[in-house]
Amino acid sequence: MKVLLTNPIFRHWARPNCFPVGLGYIAAVLRNAGHEVQVLDLNALRLEQKAIELTIRDTEYDLFGTGGIVTAYSQVKELVRLSKLYHPDVPTIVGGSVSSSIPETLLTRTPTDIACIGEGEITVVEVAERVANRGSQVDLTDIAGIQYKDSGGAIIHGPVRPPITNLDALPFPAWDLFPMEIYLDNPVGVINAAKWNDGVPQSHAVVRSINISASRGCPYRCTYCYHDFMGTKYRHMSAARLVEQICHLVESLGVKYFLIQDDLFIVDRKFVYEFCDRIEETRLGVQWECASRANLVDDELLNRMKKAGCYCTSFGLESGSPEILKEMNKRVTIDQAENAIRLIHKHFGFKYHSMMIGMPSENLRTIQESIDFCIRNDFNPQVVFYATPYPGTELYSQARQRGLIQDEEQFVLTLNEQGENISCNMTHFTDKELETLKEYMVRMVGAANKEKH
Ligand code: B12
């Protein structure tokens, strides 16, 4: 069966540098199941609207798939509309956090037939099998991990799909189906950050790099984070498999730098140590970076990571106020945050963390505490975000309960790409006051908000 997968544009203002890892896995498992997979990577190709429409019109396929972060909603809606316009009988399936966090909006406000909830590798293969064997209508009964519309338009919830526990059993993402040279020409990672400005590479002297994923899930439950998406059960591929993936990318694409883009890479210390041992044994000399957490780093771990090629690690610091950290359910103390900043700077020379403003309890004192924290720790945040209730988060439930968000689709359409504007003000300040306070904070702490990387 023929499957067309489309990748919406991600950050229209920036050159394409983020490989769509999840879609890469979806393409790989569908191909392994015997389907003919074509990828229309709009983020890499940046086609004009007319060209997108003609390409979808002129491509023959039996299943249409797309996905992305919730911020991609309007594009996903348009792509599904185009597919239905030119291929009305072809089922459409949408995955990614957009589909998991707003499935009902997707199914009722767009011509999406099937919303894939959570990890998609097993689900999509089962759906494709039913589509391939369909008679007059696709029977989706009992497929776990989906919501879909029945013939009468009612939304049916399939059973819950358990998390994939053995990530080693997954194939590598199907990099060969994507225009990889475009991604490799537009590098990722802190090592390349200084070579970008407002989404445009400033120099060709960049390190060939790619983003990869090694683990899924996060055991913490911060209120601004969508932890139900990949679940709170942390799972990682084996260190051997991760190193095998890295070796493959070094050999096949000449990659020298790896951005491990997981929510949190250092939950399981034993795994990190084993990865460090194995990557050193390869003697490839590759460098890498990952996300960490203030309460999980210490001298010994960072030292080991650095020796094994880790170029930098950073974490979402979010606030310098104990009260706000508590409200976020961050489970990090101010002492831990200060210690982590000092240690990471000592080992890597970076203070590359992010801050937030605008949690519901934010007040003048808590904002001043955040500013004082940054000044005291001689720290210029990479960015100060507005706290934003992204769908699927605890903050989002609070905003709905307080009546701050009436219509989910309208709200999602106001979400900008990086939380740079106020989408939903949860504080007692007016929007104007909050904007002024954010500008003040950005100025006082010397955050790099003006630059887009
Ligand atoms: C890496 C990452 C980024 C990267 C790159 C994203 C990218 N293009 O790949 C960067 C740093 C740029 C980024 C930015 C943002 N991110 Co982000 N990011 C992540 C992170 C940590 C990992 C993504 C990942 O690699 N996952 C692993 C792969 C294997 O999973 P996957 O891509 O989701 O794909 C699987 C399924 O979704 C599904 N699937 C995916 N596509 C398809 C398609 C089909 C057809 C099917 C059937 C299935 C399917 O199957 C895949 C395999 O299982 C996730 C957290 C997480 N746990 O996923 C947050 C996450 C996706 N990000 C999030 C947010 C909020 C943002 C920002 C808005 C943050 C901000 N304020 O700036 C921005 C948005 C930028 C923009 N322009 O839109 C939220 C999304 C919440 C939501 N409701 O959608 C998440 C879930 C974080 C969280 N836990 O809250 N992000």
Side-chain angles (χ1 to χ4, degrees):
M1 187 181 76
K2 291 183 175 164
V3 184
L4 177 64
L5 296 177
T6 61
N7 181 32
I9 295 178
F10 180 79
R11 292 184 170 164
H12 67 275
W13 49 264
R15 302 270 307 257
N17 66 338
C18 261
F19 176 74
V21 175
L23 204 66
Y25 279 110
I26 296 298
V29 293
L30 284 169
R31 182 167 62 183
N32 284 3
H35 303 291
E36 201 180 305
V37 181
Q38 188 178 338
V39 175
L40 177 58
D41 189 340
L42 298 169
N43 187 43
L45 302 175
R46 302 291 165 103
L47 302 181
E48 297 291 333
Q49 178 63 22
K50 197 69 205 160
I52 297 173
E53 181 162 349
L54 295 180
T55 310
I56 291 180
R57 188 194 70 184
D58 297 342
T59 307
E60 260 182 54
Y61 53 88
D62 310 291
L63 177 65
F64 178 87
T66 189
I69 295 180
V70 73
T71 43
Y73 173 74
S74 60
Q75 289 182 67
V76 165
K77 183 172 183 172
E78 173 61 6
L79 291 170
V80 176
R81 184 189 74 81
L82 289 174
S83 182
K84 276 291 175 204
L85 179 67
Y86 294 111
H87 309 266
D89 296 331
V90 170
T92 52
I93 179 166
V94 175
S97 53
V98 63
S99 149
S100 296
S101 60
I102 54 165
E104 289 200 13
T105 294
L106 203 60
L107 292 169
T108 53
R109 306 277 183 103
T110 82
T112 301
D113 297 311
I114 308 162
C116 172
I117 311 295
E119 286 162 281
E121 286 93 342
I122 303 175
T123 308
V124 79
V125 170
E126 291 181 9
V127 168
E129 198 184 310
R130 298 275 179 98
V131 173
N133 298 331
R134 72 164 150 179
S136 57
Q137 201 162 10
V138 187
D139 176 13
L140 298 167
T141 322
D142 294 338
I143 294 189
I146 57 169
Q147 292 185 23
Y148 61 98
K149 278 179 289 212
D150 70 5
S151 49
I155 296 178
I156 312 290
H157 292 230
V160 173
R161 166 82 58 194
I164 299 173
T165 44
N166 181 9
L167 297 181
D168 282 13
L170 297 175
F172 290 150
W175 295 293
D176 58 303
L177 293 178
F178 291 77
M180 290 310 289
E181 281 310 317
I182 297 180
Y183 286 110
L184 293 165
D185 274 351
N186 296 292
V188 287
V190 171
I191 198 168
N192 291 305
K195 294 162 187 147
W196 286 83
N197 191 10
D198 284 348
V200 181
Q202 301 296 291
S203 133
H204 286 288
V206 290
V207 181
R208 215 165 152 86
S209 58
I210 194 173
N211 50 313
I212 56 171
S213 161
S215 67
R216 296 180 186 180
C218 171
Y220 295 90
R221 295 190 145 266
C222 305
T223 59
Y224 55 81
C225 177
Y226 177 26
H227 36 71
D228 285 345
F229 177 42
M230 289 285 169
T232 48
K233 186 171 165 31
Y234 176 74
R235 300 148 283 144
H236 58 75
M237 59 180 67
S238 68
R241 179 71 173 161
L242 177 55
V243 170
E244 189 190 339
Q245 181 176 175
I246 287 175
C247 290
H248 176 83
L249 285 164
V250 171
E251 280 155 27
S252 59
L253 296 173
V255 179
K256 293 188 163 40
Y257 187 92
F258 295 85
L259 189 167
I260 303 175
Q261 67 178 16
D262 309 349
D263 278 320
L264 181 55
F265 181 64
I266 61 161
V267 177
D268 179 349
R269 284 174 80 97
K270 203 165 144 263
F271 163 63
V272 180
Y273 275 90
E274 193 189 337
F275 167 67
C276 290
D277 291 345
R278 284 183 181 264
I279 199 76
E280 261 178 4
E281 277 163 23
T282 66
R283 295 181 188 281
L284 286 171
V286 295
Q287 288 177 294
W288 49 282
E289 72 177 73
C290 65
S292 55
R293 207 169 198 281
N295 59 320
L296 297 180
V297 297
D298 60 38
D299 226 1
E300 190 200 304
L301 180 71
L302 294 176
N303 193 35
R304 183 69 196 97
M305 285 163 56
K306 165 99 182 173
K307 211 169 140 266
C310 181
Y311 180 77
C312 133
T313 185
S314 58
F315 58 93
L317 176 64
E318 321 305 5
S319 175
S321 157
E323 186 183 327
I324 297 294
L325 289 177
K326 188 149 184 279
E327 183 182 32
M328 290 172 168
N329 193 24
K330 188 79 188 167
R331 290 169 60 192
V332 165
T333 64
I334 295 291
D335 281 354
Q336 285 170 330
E338 294 196 325
N339 189 41
I341 290 179
R342 190 182 53 77
L343 286 177
I344 290 174
H345 185 251
K346 174 180 138 192
H347 287 281
F348 302 102
F350 290 102
K351 294 184 182 178
Y352 210 77
H353 320 286
S354 58
M355 297 288 278
M356 261 189 216
I357 186 170
M359 284 293 287
S361 306
E362 200 84 79
N363 57 47
L364 290 177
R365 179 180 43 78
T366 59
I367 293 170
Q368 194 58 49
E369 280 172 351
S370 281
I371 294 171
D372 292 346
F373 178 95
C374 294
I375 294 172
R376 188 165 75 241
N377 290 288
D378 187 21
F379 159 58
N380 310 114
Q382 183 204 0
V383 63
V384 179
F385 290 113
Y386 283 115
T388 305
Y390 290 104
T393 63
E394 167 63 29
L395 266 192
Y396 185 73
S397 309
Q398 289 173 20
R400 290 301 293 247
Q401 271 160 23
R402 287 170 54 189
L404 298 173
I405 296 169
Q406 302 290 346
D407 181 279
E408 184 165 82
E409 182 180 58
Q410 282 312 312
F411 170 68
V412 166
L413 290 170
T414 67
L415 288 172
N416 31 80
E417 290 197 329
Q418 302 201 102
E420 62 267 56
N421 299 330
I422 301 173
S423 303
C424 174
N425 183 351
M426 301 189 71
T427 67
H428 67 271
F429 297 116
T430 63
D431 284 7
K432 188 77 215 127
E433 285 168 345
L434 188 58
E435 274 166 22
T436 308
L437 285 165
K438 182 181 163 196
E439 275 166 29
Y440 172 71
M441 178 163 164
V442 166
R443 212 174 44 249
M444 290 305 286
V445 301
N449 271 52
K450 292 272 178 284
E451 291 160 34
K452 288 180 159 189
H453 289 303

